[in-house]
Amino acid sequence: MSDDDKRDAEKGVTSAAPEGPEQTPGQPAVEQSPENLPAAPGQVHQVGTRHGMFGVRGTGDTSGYGGLVSAVTYPAPSQRPYGGWFDEVADALEAATRTAGVEQAVGSVVVHRGEITFHVRREDLLTVARVLRDDEALRFELCSSVSGVHYPDDTGRELHVVMHLLSMTHNRRIRVEATAPDADPHVPSVVPVYPTADWHERETYDMFGIVFDGHPSLTRILMPDDWPGHPQRKDYPLGGIPVEYKGGTVPPPDQRRSYN
C-alpha cells in the first residue's frame, strides 16, 4: 500500500475504481464489450453485396482485397416497446406530427446497439424537424451533423440523409434518416429549422450529389465547382489525377498495380 493510500485509509477515504464492465482475466474482448458483437439474426436485413474493399466497379482494385465478397446489411425495424425513454420520444413525436397535420410521417423506427433512429418520409422532413425542435416533450434544439450514405442496391432509396439531433433540455440524442432515389436526389433542407446544418448539407451535396431544396447557397464546399461527379458515392471511379512532387510522379489509382 502506498503512503497516499495509507493516509486515505486513516481518514476513512477509499479510492473507487472507475465504473465499467467487470472483466475476467483471459476473457475474450468480445465478451467484455458485448455491444460490439455482430447483430443477431433478424435484427438486420441485406440491402446489397459489396465486392472488394471499397465496392467500386469498373476500375482496378489496388487494395489487394479485390476478391472479398460481403453482405451490405441494414438494421431491421424494431417493435414496441423500444425501452427506456425511446418510447416517450416516439409517442411524443407521433402525437406532435399528427397535430402538425402530417400523418404517418415516421415510416419505421430502428433501435440498434443502444441508439434509436426515426426513418422519415422526405416530403415531411422539414415539418418533423420543426416538431422535434419546438415540442415541449421533445426539444431537440441542436442538429450536430448531417451526412449521407449511398446504397446502390437499395432500389428506390439509394441515397440516405442522416441527421443527428441533441436535446439539451432532456439530455437525449436521436438519429433521423430520410431517403431519396438516385433518379430524384432531392431532400428538403433543414437549414430554416437548424442553421447549423448549412455547411453540413453543402458537404453532403458535394460528396453524394444530394440536392437540399431550399438551402440558401447549395454549392460545392470541398471539390472545385466544375468537378465531375460526387467522390463518396459507391459508383464513383477510383481513378484520379497524377500527382507530381519534386520530379516524382504518382499515377492515379486506376493506373497503378491491379490485384487479381
Side-chain angles (χ1 to χ4, degrees), residues 122-127 130 146 161 179-181 184-193 197-198 201-202 204-205 209-219:
R122 59 173 173 166
E123 57 267 29
D124 297 327
L125 180 59
L126 190 58
T127 302
R130 188 172 287 110
V146 177
V161 174
T179 65
D184 182 27
H186 290 262
V187 172
S189 170
V190 297
V191 171
V193 179
D198 188 343
E201 290 184 352
R202 286 181 60 188
T204 304
Y205 160 71
I210 299 172
V211 180
F212 291 91
D213 297 328
H215 190 282
S217 179
L218 193 63
T219 57

Side-chain angles (χ1 to χ4, degrees), residues 82-256:
Y82 306 132
W85 56 264
F86 291 168
D87 290 284
E88 298 176 24
V89 171
D91 291 339
L93 180 58
E94 182 179 348
T97 52
R98 188 183 302 111
T99 301
V102 285
E103 295 287 343
Q104 305 298 322
V106 179
S108 63
V109 179
V110 173
V111 177
H112 187 66
R113 301 191 186 280
E115 299 177 342
I116 188 167
T117 303
F118 294 92
H119 291 259
V120 177
R121 296 186 304 188
R122 59 173 173 166
E123 57 267 29
D124 297 327
L125 180 59
L126 190 58
T127 302
V128 171
R130 188 172 287 110
V131 164
L132 286 167
R133 183 194 64 181
D134 297 340
D135 189 90
E136 291 290 343
L138 297 168
R139 286 297 187 191
F140 286 91
E141 303 98 340
L142 174 64
C143 176
S144 60
S145 172
V146 177
S147 57
V149 190
H150 185 212
Y151 294 104
D153 298 323
D154 194 7
T155 306
R157 32 183 285 137
E158 293 87 356
L159 296 169
H160 292 229
V161 174
V162 183
M163 300 167 48
H164 291 88
L165 304 181
L166 166 65
S167 170
M168 292 176 283
T169 300
H170 302 292
N171 191 24
R172 295 168 174 174
R173 292 179 183 270
I174 65 172
R175 185 184 295 109
V176 175
E177 191 164 333
T179 65
D182 274 339
D184 182 27
H186 290 262
V187 172
S189 170
V190 297
V191 171
V193 179
Y194 295 112
T196 56
D198 188 343
W199 285 35
H200 294 255
E201 290 184 352
R202 286 181 60 188
E203 182 176 0
T204 304
Y205 160 71
D206 194 358
M207 295 291 102
F208 292 92
I210 299 172
V211 180
F212 291 91
D213 297 328
H215 190 282
S217 179
L218 193 63
T219 57
R220 287 190 182 271
I221 191 174
L222 300 174
M223 309 303 291
D225 290 340
D226 59 351
W227 190 267
H230 303 279
Q232 287 192 344
R233 288 173 59 104
K234 294 296 190 297
D235 54 5
Y236 189 82
L238 277 180
I241 59 175
V243 178
E244 296 183 4
Y245 180 74
K246 292 187 176 181
T249 300
V250 179
D254 59 342
Q255 296 178 16
R256 301 175 197 169

